[in-house]
Amino acid sequence: MTEAVRRDARDDLFIDDAEDEDTQANKYMFFRIAGESYGIGIRHILEIIELQRISQVPDMPAYVKGVINLRGKVIPVVDLRLRFGLPERAYDDRTCIVVADISGATIGFIVDTVEEVIEIPEAQVEEAPRFRSQSGKDRYISGMGKVGEDVKILLDVEALVRDDDARAIAEAGREP
Amino acid sequence: MKQVDEETREILDSFIAEALERLDEAEDALSKLADGGDASGLGSVFRLFHSLKGSAAFLDLDSIRGLTHEAETLIDYYVKAERPPSQESLDIVYQTIDLLRALVGRVQASYGDDGREDAVAAQVAAIRANVEASRADGSGSAPEPAPEAEPAPEADPAPPPERLNEIVLNELVTRDMTERFLAESLDLVDRLESGALGLLSAPDPAESVHSMFRAVHTIKGNAGFFGYGLLEGLCMEAEAFLDRCRKGSTAPNEAFVNGALSHVDALNRAMASVSIVEGGYGGDSGAEGKGPAFPAPAEASAAPAGGAAYKPIGEILVEMGAADQEAVRRALDQQEKPLGELLVDSGAATREAVASALEIQRGIEARPAAPAARGEELQRRDVRVDTAKLDKLFDLVGELITAEAIVVNSPDLKGLRLDHFQKSFNALNKISREIQETTMVIRMIPMEGLFNKMTRLVRDLSRKFGKPVDFRVSGQETEMDRNVIEQISDPLVHILRNSIDHGLESPDGRGAAGKPATGVVSLDARYEGSEIWVSVKDDGKGLDREAILAKAAERGLLKADPATIEDRDAWNFIFEPGFSTAKVLSEVSGRGVGMDVVRKNLERIRGAVDVRSTPGQGTEFVLRIPLTMAIIEGITVRVGDSSYSIPLSDILEFFRAAPGQLTLAADGTETVNLRGDVLPLVKLWRVFGVSGAAERPEDGILLVVKAGGRKAALLIDEVVGNQQIVIKSLSEYLGKIDGLSGCSILGDGTVSFIIDTGKLLSAVLE
């Protein structure tokens, strides 16, 4: 069943490759973390792979699980659960790595399970409400998408990697 | 082109490959000899020529046989006389090698080595003269047997000396160099063109003009080096044109773009003429009108005698007497329209004259053009591959190996007896390992080729400026990604030119400063932590701090009080575009463009350049290049679940410690006593926060490492193996990690982290 879902998601992705940017713009790939559905703009997504052996990297925040060998390319993987400050959960056979391209950098996100690709017209996307008491994860929300009666959370992936501790570490570590 | 049967062609092909290799070896041996290597090198050069002669005689390649025979005689003299060859003799041998290469090129193109008899005869005569001179020089040596009476038939007519000279000069340039020059220059002209086309919409027009200027400048430098006067002249004009905009006296507007494009066209046409007439490697190319110097095989027989070079329209008009030189030059200066139109407009030429000149020009252009003449058939049998494809291949191989491991460890196979499967798998595995190794090797090349090129450059520059140079090369075995080598070639050329032109004093000046007349320039490459350092060092007069600061102030670059500026910052000014303190422009350096290229190219490969300079003692440039794709020999170890690799050169030994060797001080400092040497103990699991590792020293292995003057014992779980490691940089997202220089993918697909021993020790120890 996991396989089927994943294949569906992939098929959609590959069809989209041939389409132009405009049609990609309103499509989101949704995945589930702790019972909640999150979407990432499909133009960022390179592929979805099964969980694989992760090599732990020293000196990293807990949500940076390490690096994987993606066909000869070493890419960092981030556990989105931990990134959002949610409790850790053992990985199972539905756990996936969503490989995304974020302004040229390839990064993998570990998610509980991958759901589907949905097109949400711009008119159906509303700005995320901002609360004073906002916890960490809400800062990465780019908007709320309405799909029929459902409201889905859309993530700003760039903010996800830009505005965080790892980035700060990276900046600090870089030579002047 | 001779008609040859399949078999002969095969023999000739293998001869060509062998000959090119032999010639490379010979040149290599000679450059070692020039470095003061032992005389046995000479023996090997002799053997190389000798075996070449044998093969050539067998294949009836008379020019090559004749030439190798003479060269052999010359070298034989020095071998027997047991003395190092004189400078002149070395020159002659180098020239002979170049001519031989050209002849081999002919064999490749037309299956025969004829057609260059003049050049061969001249070279033979030059060698003979040199043998005589050398004998006369080596007065003390025993009388030599007269040269064997086996004169090459074409050797007889000794050419007059002027002719000889000309050939000798031309022969300095090899076909290979010309081809590379053309390819590079065409790229640069393309860059110039796209720069011009995009100028009006460029976000930073000034930078675009700088980059266009740099492109032209590089072509000019090379053209000057190759002696292509026409091209060099055109470049100078283009430079002057662009310079006006650089200096701000013309605005980068539509008219400027048109002007720049007309320069592009002129350069392109001149380049085409280079490949047809000036073309080549060839001595006889000096005699205009001999037709293409490298005819593509199909055209070789049909190549018309009397082919003429492309000429700018202005030149043709002047020759026709339809316009005078001065009018053409004036028109060129303000050229925004086709030259012919301008001349008509200004009344300097009639419309009819221009029309007929254009006719002539077209006639020239219609001849077999450059691309055909630059036929692939002439090249060595190597292929230029886009490195993106190599990257892709490399990734695929990684994937293959991983997939293979997955197949063989498949749970479906558990518990089955698989004798045949195992055998087949072993065969498959052997092949895939080999593919992996080959792929790795493809991308990495030793710096030797680049360094040889530089040796040649220094030689030529040293003669050009009349400054004797002792050029010392080391570390040429250091391997680097092919791409990176290409990127540092230009910077090295510029730095070396500067060192010899500006850095080294004239022999008289050196004498006055109490230095030996011969200047020392050294070129070195070495691994330094996570970088490769390529350094160029001279013992010249050093950078002139005052002049640099004065110039910086004049250009408005100086923001602080000159007295407070650190040397390091002062030296950085020389990398500013258009920065030059030279009072006289010389042919090869002085416009201040070169150093700008140095910095640009290094930034492109995420490297940096350091300058150290001491007045009166010399200057050192260090190009620091990150090891993105370098290969090191390393030991891979396991710590808990993680793999780490340590450069083999940092490792002294490893051992299992007995409890008696270990000491734990009250403050937590742990040391191990190894044969009386007390080493600090560094627990890698603790440094890198690895869980599940052997935590007590006596449960693991101690690896004794040394780097940056420090020695320590690293605690690891076990040694996994010793292998070639391809260094990859870690994702930028992760930033720099203390003590690690990158990562690598092991044969089984696991990622191992490469330890930068020096940084690790300096981070952990006081």
Side-chain angles (χ1 to χ4, degrees):
Chain A
M1 136 86 208
T2 318
E3 269 310 307
V5 170
R6 192 174 303 136
R7 205 170 301 125
D8 283 346
R10 272 197 177 204
D11 283 349
D12 276 334
L13 291 187
F14 287 133
I15 291 162
D16 277 328
D17 273 355
E19 297 174 27
D20 54 26
E21 288 279 314
D22 286 351
T23 46
Q24 280 201 10
N26 296 327
K27 288 193 176 175
Y28 297 86
M29 220 241 8
F30 286 91
F31 48 84
R32 196 162 275 277
I33 292 168
E36 202 64 65
S37 202
Y38 297 87
I40 292 182
I42 197 171
R43 67 198 155 89
H44 289 292
I45 301 199
L46 299 173
E47 62 182 308
I48 293 152
I49 54 172
E50 291 174 38
L51 191 67
Q52 47 176 284
R53 216 197 103 121
I54 298 175
S55 305
Q56 189 200 335
V57 181
D59 286 342
M60 286 294 137
Y63 58 81
V64 177
K65 292 308 261 183
V67 292
I68 57 167
N69 166 12
L70 180 67
R71 295 188 301 280
K73 204 168 169 188
V74 178
I75 65 164
V77 286
V78 170
D79 186 322
L80 276 190
R81 258 178 173 271
L82 300 179
R83 184 73 192 87
F84 293 158
L86 298 167
E88 191 157 12
R89 190 193 77 142
Y91 298 144
D92 57 27
D93 61 353
R94 300 180 58 169
T95 308
C96 284
I97 300 178
V98 176
V99 182
D101 173 279
I102 300 163
S103 14
T106 310
I107 295 179
F109 295 107
I110 303 175
V111 300
D112 289 1
T113 180
V114 171
E115 291 186 311
E116 59 194 330
V117 173
I118 304 178
E119 182 165 1
I120 306 178
E122 219 167 309
Q124 300 296 311
V125 177
E126 290 189 9
E127 219 173 287
R130 300 226 162 232
F131 295 105
R132 282 186 193 285
S133 60
Q134 234 160 24
S135 69
K137 68 172 175 179
D138 299 324
R139 285 199 303 268
Y140 316 119
I141 296 175
S142 66
M144 311 297 283
K146 287 185 286 186
V147 182
E149 293 301 299
D150 282 354
V151 173
K152 291 176 176 276
I153 303 163
L154 307 178
L155 289 174
D156 176 354
V157 272
E158 265 148 27
L160 215 51
V161 297
R162 188 199 316 130
D163 176 35
D164 68 28
D165 311 1
R167 196 66 190 179
I169 292 168
E171 295 299 336
R174 201 155 294 143
E175 276 182 344
Chain B
M1 177 165 135
K2 276 191 206 165
Q3 290 300 318
V4 290
D5 59 57
E6 189 63 28
E7 199 180 327
T8 317
R9 189 154 38 201
E10 264 175 37
I11 297 174
L12 282 170
D13 279 345
S14 70
F15 166 77
I16 292 159
E18 183 196 311
L20 290 176
E21 220 167 87
R22 290 257 147 82
L23 291 171
D24 281 352
E25 277 172 44
E27 203 167 57
D28 200 38
L30 284 171
S31 66
K32 285 197 183 102
L33 212 61
D35 291 348
D38 62 318
S40 66
L42 211 50
S44 73
V45 176
F46 178 83
R47 277 190 299 280
L48 291 168
F49 277 123
H50 187 76
S51 70
L52 204 52
K53 181 174 88 168
S55 315
F58 172 71
L59 292 167
D60 287 332
L61 299 170
D62 287 334
S63 294
I64 296 181
R65 183 185 53 83
L67 206 51
T68 42
H69 173 74
E70 297 301 327
E72 211 184 281
T73 313
L74 176 59
I75 291 168
D76 187 47
Y77 161 73
Y78 282 106
V79 172
K80 294 225 173 84
E82 288 178 4
R83 66 188 186 99
S86 68
Q87 206 57 21
E88 291 70 33
S89 300
L90 275 181
D91 285 344
I92 293 271
V93 177
Y94 272 125
Q95 288 153 13
T96 309
I97 291 177
D98 288 340
L99 182 54
L100 282 169
R101 243 188 227 129
L103 290 171
V104 172
R106 284 202 86 83
V107 175
Q108 206 161 11
S110 61
Y111 298 112
D113 67 344
D114 36 355
R116 298 293 305 277
E117 281 75 12
D118 289 357
V120 171
Q123 190 64 22
V124 165
I127 300 174
R128 286 188 178 164
N130 190 265
V131 171
E132 287 311 316
S134 306
R135 283 201 178 118
D137 264 7
S139 45
S141 60
E144 296 299 323
E148 283 170 57
E150 194 196 322
E154 63 276 78
D156 289 329
E162 321 83 67
R163 176 101 180 92
L164 193 77
N165 235 341
E166 176 191 319
I167 286 159
V168 165
L169 257 176
N170 282 334
E171 293 303 341
L172 276 169
V173 176
T174 64
R175 195 196 85 244
D176 213 34
M177 288 161 78
T178 311
E179 301 226 341
R180 220 173 304 141
F181 161 71
L182 281 172
E184 198 183 310
S185 302
L186 287 170
D187 284 352
L188 288 167
V189 173
D190 282 351
R191 199 192 299 166
L192 179 64
E193 186 167 16
S194 61
L197 291 171
L199 189 62
L200 295 178
S201 56
D204 183 0
E207 174 53 35
S208 298
V209 175
H210 274 316
S211 127
M212 289 158 69
F213 190 87
R214 279 194 300 274
V216 176
H217 185 76
T218 306
I219 304 176
K220 186 190 80 171
N222 288 334
F225 173 70
F226 281 83
Y228 298 139
L230 169 66
L231 190 55
E232 197 183 0
L234 286 172
C235 287
M236 269 160 122
E237 281 171 26
E239 256 186 20
F241 178 76
L242 294 170
D243 210 31
R244 280 206 293 277
C245 180
R246 239 160 55 112
K247 298 258 161 65
S249 53
T250 357
N253 53 17
E254 185 75 39
F256 176 77
V257 169
N258 291 340
L261 288 176
S262 66
H263 281 291
V264 168
D265 294 343
L267 288 173
N268 267 329
R269 283 190 232 104
M271 219 92 76
S273 77
V274 162
S275 35
I276 297 175
V277 174
E278 295 189 282
Y281 40 91
D284 47 8
S285 67
E288 306 247 345
K290 272 229 169 179
F294 321 114
E299 291 159 7
S301 51
Y310 165 82
K311 283 182 186 151
I313 186 87
E315 224 171 277
I316 298 175
L317 281 168
V318 173
E319 274 176 26
M320 287 167 65
D324 73 274
Q325 193 105 34
E326 197 40 49
V328 170
R329 185 163 312 133
R330 262 203 312 277
L332 275 172
D333 272 351
Q334 42 170 336
Q335 186 170 11
E336 279 162 26
K337 281 202 252 176
L339 177 64
E341 267 177 54
L342 276 176
L343 287 170
V344 174
D345 288 353
S346 65
T350 64
R351 192 163 289 280
E352 293 71 40
V354 171
S356 63
L358 279 171
E359 230 12 73
I360 297 175
Q361 192 180 40
R362 265 195 290 278
I364 297 168
E365 277 177 302
R367 284 173 203 285
R374 249 181 281 130
E376 268 74 2
E377 278 83 356
L378 291 157
Q379 301 211 348
R380 286 171 82 172
R381 303 282 149 103
D382 53 9
V383 193
R384 269 177 102 92
V385 181
D386 182 354
T387 38
K389 288 186 188 162
L390 285 182
D391 285 340
K392 174 87 182 151
L393 177 66
F394 197 85
D395 289 351
L396 283 172
V397 170
E399 197 175 353
L400 174 72
I401 303 253
T402 316
E404 194 186 87
I406 292 169
V407 168
V408 77
N409 297 318
S410 165
D412 296 355
L413 304 175
K414 284 267 155 58
L416 300 176
R417 256 187 70 98
L418 299 162
D419 293 347
H420 287 98
F421 178 84
Q422 198 55 46
K423 219 188 249 170
S424 316
F425 171 73
N426 287 345
L428 175 65
N429 187 255
K430 191 164 164 268
I431 296 167
S432 53
R433 294 291 132 144
E434 228 163 279
I435 293 176
Q436 191 192 22
E437 275 165 32
T438 316
T439 327
M440 280 213 236
V441 175
I442 291 175
R443 286 195 56 125
M444 304 296 298
I445 48 173
M447 313 265 286
E448 195 160 9
L450 178 69
F451 278 21
N452 282 348
K453 208 171 109 191
M454 296 303 145
T455 310
R456 185 66 176 266
L457 175 82
V458 169
R459 233 185 120 73
D460 294 338
L461 288 174
S462 141
R463 319 193 109 216
K464 198 159 198 162
F465 293 116
K467 294 177 181 176
V469 175
D470 174 7
F471 188 51
R472 298 175 185 167
V473 179
S474 52
Q476 58 269 57
E477 69 286 348
T478 311
E479 288 200 330
M480 221 191 242
D481 194 288
R482 189 181 292 264
N483 260 2
V484 177
I485 290 194
E486 273 172 26
Q487 287 293 333
I488 64 167
S489 168
D490 273 359
L492 279 183
V493 168
H494 287 295
I495 294 175
L496 285 168
R497 275 180 195 162
N498 270 290
S499 283
I500 294 168
D501 189 5
H502 305 308
L504 294 183
E505 308 89 336
S506 63
D508 294 347
R510 291 183 66 87
K515 295 181 191 178
T518 303
V520 177
V521 175
S522 46
L523 175 62
D524 174 56
R526 61 181 181 276
Y527 296 107
E528 195 74 39
S530 58
E531 295 175 327
I532 293 175
W533 286 16
V534 178
S535 88
V536 174
K537 199 166 157 186
D538 67 60
D539 69 341
K541 54 180 178 274
L543 295 172
D544 184 345
R545 188 185 149 100
E546 297 313 313
I548 290 171
L549 290 179
K551 185 82 185 177
E554 181 191 317
R555 302 231 357 221
L557 297 165
L558 208 54
K559 303 272 186 293
D561 175 17
T564 64
I565 288 185
E566 301 236 355
D567 277 357
R568 228 179 72 164
D569 299 323
W571 306 152
N572 269 334
F573 285 126
I574 63 175
F575 299 112
E576 291 295 328
F579 196 95
S580 173
T581 59
K583 288 167 191 77
V584 192
L585 293 186
S586 82
E587 194 179 334
V588 288
S589 43
R591 264 180 195 264
V593 186
M595 300 319 259
D596 179 18
V597 173
V598 172
R599 189 159 72 177
K600 289 269 154 182
N601 276 23
L602 275 150
E603 278 172 3
R604 205 170 300 151
I605 50 174
R606 290 190 294 128
V609 52
D610 283 350
V611 186
R612 278 170 223 132
S613 183
T614 317
Q617 287 180 29
T619 309
E620 180 176 19
F621 286 88
V622 179
L623 309 185
R624 288 170 24 214
I625 299 133
L627 277 180
T628 39
M629 273 296 294
I631 289 187
I632 54 163
E633 187 78 21
I635 296 270
T636 301
V637 303
R638 188 177 63 78
V639 180
D641 271 348
S642 304
S643 299
Y644 291 91
S645 301
I646 299 153
L648 191 61
S649 53
D650 293 341
I651 297 177
L652 300 176
E653 63 179 297
F654 47 85
F655 66 102
R656 194 178 277 279
Q661 284 174 283
L662 300 159
T663 316
L664 173 60
D667 63 350
T669 311
E670 290 192 84
T671 54
V672 57
N673 180 347
L674 178 64
R675 297 185 297 270
D677 212 356
V678 178
L679 303 170
L681 188 74
V682 177
K683 295 174 171 172
L684 281 190
W685 64 267
R686 182 170 284 161
V687 175
F688 293 128
V690 181
S691 53
E695 300 194 357
R696 297 188 314 151
E698 48 272 53
D699 296 338
I701 305 277
L702 293 179
L703 202 61
V704 183
V705 294
K706 185 179 175 183
R710 291 188 173 90
K711 234 164 126 178
L714 306 181
L715 173 63
I716 57 165
D717 288 14
E718 62 173 346
V719 173
V720 179
N722 167 12
Q723 64 197 109
Q724 293 251 304
I725 293 168
V726 181
I727 303 180
K728 298 187 165 229
S729 49
L730 278 164
S731 165
E732 291 212 2
Y733 174 67
L734 301 173
K736 279 209 173 186
I737 300 165
D738 270 350
L740 298 185
S741 60
C743 63
S744 174
I745 295 175
L746 301 178
D748 63 355
T750 19
V751 178
S752 91
F753 298 102
I754 298 163
I755 293 181
D756 181 336
T757 321
K759 291 221 177 95
L760 175 79
L761 296 188
S762 62
V764 175
L765 305 172
E766 281 278 309

